[in-house]
Amino acid sequence: MSIGEQTLKNQVVIITGASRGIGAETAIAFGKVGSKVILGARTIPELEAIAQRIRDNGGEALTVRADVTQPEQAERIVQSALARYGQIDILVNNAGLGKFGRVSEFDLGDWDAVIASNLTSLFFCSKYVLGPMLKRKSGQIINVLSVAAKNVFSGAGAYCAAKAGALALTRVLSDEVREENIRVTAVLPGATHTSFWDKIDQHPDFDQMLKPAHVANAILSVAKQPLGMVVEEINVAPPLGIL
């Protein structure tokens, strides 16, 4: 550990969208450094598999089945963490999905699903975790967004709009809670080789993409930063930049 870095051992960390990809690798990374990890997603078998990997390495993990686009289920993750550990130190908002198509042809239900998953869920989870964080005057929220928050891509209107909105919400949230000793960070990964691309016919070369572990390591680095500073935004790009 470098001078000034804070230890993450025994820190209580909630990670949404933790069953695969960036979320799963982030959960494993926190588990390796001794954090107590709460994994949230809609698919319990996949969550349990990740949790077992953490336990097999000597870590501690709790799984909570939840669709965080629903407010009562987002709140359930928070309450489950409090019931088990009595506090929450870090929230990693990672849940999200992508559906694509030109605006003129885009399905209205798909629009609602993309906005709910990538933007509204972030609002719900942040809202419910802030209660206990504000009481303690301590905590950190790390929002995993995308370069699409700043760079538009044809056929990705809903996704770009959701991520841009999530970045704006992250900045507002940071401004609202900074005086309460709560840090808020936006992490903007470039193209990352996950199941996100499974239903997309045209995509960049997988070999040129980031790996989920790359993004997880960036998130871990943000969480380790000294309490006297805030990393407000971090871009994580493949070596060739935007693909």
Side-chain angles (χ1 to χ4, degrees):
M1 186 172 65
S2 300
I3 295 175
E5 284 188 350
Q6 65 166 333
T7 178
L8 298 178
K9 185 175 178 61
N10 293 323
Q11 294 271 290
V12 179
V13 184
I14 294 176
I15 303 168
T16 67
S19 61
R20 63 184 72 178
I22 292 170
E25 290 293 338
T26 301
I28 291 167
F30 274 103
K32 285 180 178 178
V33 296
S35 299
K36 299 173 181 178
V37 187
I38 297 89
L39 300 87
R42 293 176 293 180
T43 51
I44 277 293
E46 291 177 309
L47 274 185
E48 282 295 344
I50 300 302
Q52 192 57 51
R53 287 181 61 183
I54 294 171
R55 295 174 190 131
D56 289 344
N57 287 322
E60 190 169 346
L62 171 69
T63 60
V64 181
R65 185 186 182 281
D67 176 357
V68 290
T69 67
Q70 305 301 312
E72 69 281 358
Q73 296 189 42
E75 186 175 20
R76 186 167 69 223
I77 295 180
V78 172
Q79 292 304 320
S80 296
L82 292 174
R84 174 68 69 89
Y85 300 115
Q87 67 186 60
I88 300 164
D89 298 291
I90 301 169
L91 166 66
V92 180
N93 278 312
N94 174 71
L97 62 82
K99 292 180 179 291
F100 301 94
R102 299 178 69 85
V103 171
S104 60
E105 303 163 352
F106 203 67
D107 180 79
L108 296 180
D110 287 346
W111 172 272
D112 289 341
V114 172
I115 298 298
S117 181
N118 294 284
L119 175 55
T120 308
S121 70
L122 186 151
F123 163 70
F124 288 150
C125 292
S126 299
K127 173 180 172 63
Y128 293 121
V129 85
L130 277 173
M133 284 185 177
L134 287 168
K135 285 182 180 178
R136 295 177 65 222
K137 290 190 177 296
S138 176
Q140 187 169 24
I141 297 174
I142 301 173
N143 295 331
V144 184
L145 307 182
S146 166
V147 292
K150 294 182 175 181
N151 300 274
V152 299
F153 302 94
S154 180
Y159 188 73
C160 290
K163 293 301 187 183
L167 179 58
L169 179 58
T170 301
R171 290 170 173 171
V172 170
L173 182 57
S174 179
D175 194 54
E176 289 180 348
V177 300
R178 67 174 71 248
E179 293 184 2
E180 303 296 330
N181 199 37
I182 297 171
R183 302 184 293 174
V184 183
T185 301
V187 177
L188 280 63
T192 307
H193 189 188
T194 69
S195 59
F196 176 89
W197 300 96
D198 287 352
K199 296 182 180 179
I200 302 175
D201 293 332
Q202 295 184 337
H203 53 73
D205 184 348
F206 288 143
D207 290 338
Q208 301 298 331
M209 291 185 182
L210 294 167
K211 303 294 187 293
H214 293 146
V215 185
N217 287 337
I219 293 167
L220 202 69
S221 176
V222 168
K224 287 180 178 179
Q225 294 309 304
L227 294 177
M229 62 172 284
V230 179
V231 178
E232 295 189 334
E233 186 176 306
I234 180 171
N235 296 284
V236 187
L240 298 181
I242 296 177
L243 300 177

mmCIF file of all heavy atoms in Angstrom, residues 20-39:
data_model
loop_
_atom_site.group_PDB
_atom_site.id
_atom_site.type_symbol
_atom_site.label_atom_id
_atom_site.label_comp_id
_atom_site.label_asym_id
_atom_site.label_seq_id
_atom_site.Cartn_x
_atom_site.Cartn_y
_atom_site.Cartn_z
ATOM 1 N N ARG A 20 -21.614 -10.700 -13.438
ATOM 2 C CA ARG A 20 -20.755 -10.960 -14.596
ATOM 3 C C ARG A 20 -19.962 -9.708 -14.954
ATOM 4 O O ARG A 20 -20.190 -8.632 -14.399
ATOM 5 C CB ARG A 20 -21.605 -11.402 -15.792
ATOM 6 C CG ARG A 20 -22.579 -10.340 -16.265
ATOM 7 C CD ARG A 20 -23.474 -10.829 -17.397
ATOM 8 N NE ARG A 20 -24.459 -11.791 -16.903
ATOM 9 C CZ ARG A 20 -25.383 -12.351 -17.664
ATOM 10 N NH1 ARG A 20 -25.424 -12.078 -18.958
ATOM 11 N NH2 ARG A 20 -26.257 -13.189 -17.146
ATOM 12 N N GLY A 21 -19.040 -9.862 -15.888
ATOM 13 C CA GLY A 21 -18.324 -8.725 -16.458
ATOM 14 C C GLY A 21 -17.605 -7.872 -15.430
ATOM 15 O O GLY A 21 -16.955 -8.361 -14.503
ATOM 16 N N ILE A 22 -17.707 -6.552 -15.614
ATOM 17 C CA ILE A 22 -17.013 -5.602 -14.743
ATOM 18 C C ILE A 22 -17.446 -5.763 -13.295
ATOM 19 O O ILE A 22 -16.626 -5.731 -12.375
ATOM 20 C CB ILE A 22 -17.254 -4.160 -15.232
ATOM 21 C CG1 ILE A 22 -16.568 -3.933 -16.585
ATOM 22 C CG2 ILE A 22 -16.750 -3.143 -14.206
ATOM 23 C CD1 ILE A 22 -16.948 -2.626 -17.255
ATOM 24 N N GLY A 23 -18.739 -5.954 -13.057
ATOM 25 C CA GLY A 23 -19.229 -6.089 -11.691
ATOM 26 C C GLY A 23 -18.645 -7.287 -10.981
ATOM 27 O O GLY A 23 -18.242 -7.203 -9.810
ATOM 28 N N ALA A 24 -18.586 -8.425 -11.673
ATOM 29 C CA ALA A 24 -18.036 -9.640 -11.070
ATOM 30 C C ALA A 24 -16.555 -9.468 -10.757
ATOM 31 O O ALA A 24 -16.092 -9.823 -9.669
ATOM 32 C CB ALA A 24 -18.252 -10.824 -12.008
ATOM 33 N N GLU A 25 -15.807 -8.921 -11.704
ATOM 34 C CA GLU A 25 -14.370 -8.729 -11.480
ATOM 35 C C GLU A 25 -14.112 -7.722 -10.364
ATOM 36 O O GLU A 25 -13.148 -7.864 -9.596
ATOM 37 C CB GLU A 25 -13.691 -8.277 -12.769
ATOM 38 C CG GLU A 25 -13.618 -9.337 -13.844
ATOM 39 C CD GLU A 25 -12.699 -10.497 -13.472
ATOM 40 O OE1 GLU A 25 -11.812 -10.318 -12.604
ATOM 41 O OE2 GLU A 25 -12.882 -11.586 -14.043
ATOM 42 N N THR A 26 -14.977 -6.721 -10.256
ATOM 43 C CA THR A 26 -14.832 -5.731 -9.185
ATOM 44 C C THR A 26 -15.090 -6.377 -7.828
ATOM 45 O O THR A 26 -14.369 -6.120 -6.853
ATOM 46 C CB THR A 26 -15.782 -4.550 -9.412
ATOM 47 O OG1 THR A 26 -15.487 -3.940 -10.678
ATOM 48 C CG2 THR A 26 -15.649 -3.501 -8.320
ATOM 49 N N ALA A 27 -16.109 -7.221 -7.758
ATOM 50 C CA ALA A 27 -16.398 -7.928 -6.511
ATOM 51 C C ALA A 27 -15.223 -8.805 -6.100
ATOM 52 O O ALA A 27 -14.810 -8.823 -4.927
ATOM 53 C CB ALA A 27 -17.658 -8.772 -6.680
ATOM 54 N N ILE A 28 -14.663 -9.529 -7.049
ATOM 55 C CA ILE A 28 -13.510 -10.392 -6.761
ATOM 56 C C ILE A 28 -12.317 -9.565 -6.299
ATOM 57 O O ILE A 28 -11.612 -9.937 -5.353
ATOM 58 C CB ILE A 28 -13.159 -11.226 -8.012
ATOM 59 C CG1 ILE A 28 -14.271 -12.255 -8.277
ATOM 60 C CG2 ILE A 28 -11.815 -11.921 -7.852
ATOM 61 C CD1 ILE A 28 -14.192 -12.912 -9.632
ATOM 62 N N ALA A 29 -12.096 -8.415 -6.945
ATOM 63 C CA ALA A 29 -10.973 -7.549 -6.581
ATOM 64 C C ALA A 29 -11.107 -7.024 -5.160
ATOM 65 O O ALA A 29 -10.137 -7.020 -4.382
ATOM 66 C CB ALA A 29 -10.864 -6.388 -7.572
ATOM 67 N N PHE A 30 -12.306 -6.584 -4.780
ATOM 68 C CA PHE A 30 -12.511 -6.118 -3.408
ATOM 69 C C PHE A 30 -12.377 -7.270 -2.418
ATOM 70 O O PHE A 30 -11.841 -7.097 -1.318
ATOM 71 C CB PHE A 30 -13.881 -5.454 -3.270
ATOM 72 C CG PHE A 30 -13.909 -3.997 -3.625
ATOM 73 C CD1 PHE A 30 -14.439 -3.570 -4.842
ATOM 74 C CD2 PHE A 30 -13.412 -3.037 -2.761
ATOM 75 C CE1 PHE A 30 -14.468 -2.232 -5.175
ATOM 76 C CE2 PHE A 30 -13.433 -1.688 -3.082
ATOM 77 C CZ PHE A 30 -13.967 -1.288 -4.294
ATOM 78 N N GLY A 31 -12.868 -8.440 -2.798
ATOM 79 C CA GLY A 31 -12.733 -9.596 -1.924
ATOM 80 C C GLY A 31 -11.294 -9.940 -1.645
ATOM 81 O O GLY A 31 -10.923 -10.307 -0.515
ATOM 82 N N LYS A 32 -10.436 -9.806 -2.640
ATOM 83 C CA LYS A 32 -9.022 -10.149 -2.481
ATOM 84 C C LYS A 32 -8.307 -9.235 -1.494
ATOM 85 O O LYS A 32 -7.310 -9.649 -0.876
ATOM 86 C CB LYS A 32 -8.317 -10.098 -3.834
ATOM 87 C CG LYS A 32 -8.643 -11.279 -4.750
ATOM 88 C CD LYS A 32 -7.904 -11.162 -6.067
ATOM 89 C CE LYS A 32 -8.191 -12.363 -6.967
ATOM 90 N NZ LYS A 32 -7.513 -12.247 -8.286
ATOM 91 N N VAL A 33 -8.777 -7.996 -1.358
ATOM 92 C CA VAL A 33 -8.119 -7.077 -0.427
ATOM 93 C C VAL A 33 -8.795 -7.064 0.945
ATOM 94 O O VAL A 33 -8.489 -6.221 1.791
ATOM 95 C CB VAL A 33 -8.043 -5.646 -1.007
ATOM 96 C CG1 VAL A 33 -7.186 -5.623 -2.250
ATOM 97 C CG2 VAL A 33 -9.433 -5.074 -1.278
ATOM 98 N N GLY A 34 -9.725 -8.000 1.165
ATOM 99 C CA GLY A 34 -10.315 -8.161 2.482
ATOM 100 C C GLY A 34 -11.573 -7.374 2.754
ATOM 101 O O GLY A 34 -12.020 -7.295 3.905
ATOM 102 N N SER A 35 -12.175 -6.795 1.706
ATOM 103 C CA SER A 35 -13.444 -6.097 1.902
ATOM 104 C C SER A 35 -14.577 -7.104 2.106
ATOM 105 O O SER A 35 -14.493 -8.260 1.673
ATOM 106 C CB SER A 35 -13.765 -5.225 0.688
ATOM 107 O OG SER A 35 -12.777 -4.242 0.474
ATOM 108 N N LYS A 36 -15.626 -6.658 2.755
ATOM 109 C CA LYS A 36 -16.844 -7.455 2.911
ATOM 110 C C LYS A 36 -17.792 -7.045 1.783
ATOM 111 O O LYS A 36 -18.266 -5.908 1.758
ATOM 112 C CB LYS A 36 -17.460 -7.210 4.283
ATOM 113 C CG LYS A 36 -16.525 -7.617 5.411
ATOM 114 C CD LYS A 36 -17.062 -7.219 6.770
ATOM 115 C CE LYS A 36 -16.091 -7.632 7.865
ATOM 116 N NZ LYS A 36 -16.549 -7.211 9.212
ATOM 117 N N VAL A 37 -18.032 -7.960 0.861
ATOM 118 C CA VAL A 37 -18.667 -7.612 -0.407
ATOM 119 C C VAL A 37 -20.117 -8.073 -0.440
ATOM 120 O O VAL A 37 -20.419 -9.240 -0.162
ATOM 121 C CB VAL A 37 -17.899 -8.241 -1.586
ATOM 122 C CG1 VAL A 37 -18.455 -7.731 -2.903
ATOM 123 C CG2 VAL A 37 -16.406 -7.931 -1.484
ATOM 124 N N ILE A 38 -21.008 -7.151 -0.786
ATOM 125 C CA ILE A 38 -22.412 -7.473 -1.019
ATOM 126 C C ILE A 38 -22.645 -7.411 -2.517
ATOM 127 O O ILE A 38 -22.482 -6.349 -3.147
ATOM 128 C CB ILE A 38 -23.361 -6.489 -0.291
ATOM 129 C CG1 ILE A 38 -23.174 -6.599 1.217
ATOM 130 C CG2 ILE A 38 -24.815 -6.783 -0.647
ATOM 131 C CD1 ILE A 38 -22.111 -5.683 1.772
ATOM 132 N N LEU A 39 -23.012 -8.540 -3.106
ATOM 133 C CA LEU A 39 -23.193 -8.634 -4.548
ATOM 134 C C LEU A 39 -24.683 -8.598 -4.878
ATOM 135 O O LEU A 39 -25.461 -9.405 -4.352
ATOM 136 C CB LEU A 39 -22.603 -9.936 -5.096
ATOM 137 C CG LEU A 39 -21.113 -10.191 -4.900
ATOM 138 C CD1 LEU A 39 -20.870 -10.868 -3.552
ATOM 139 C CD2 LEU A 39 -20.566 -11.077 -6.011
#
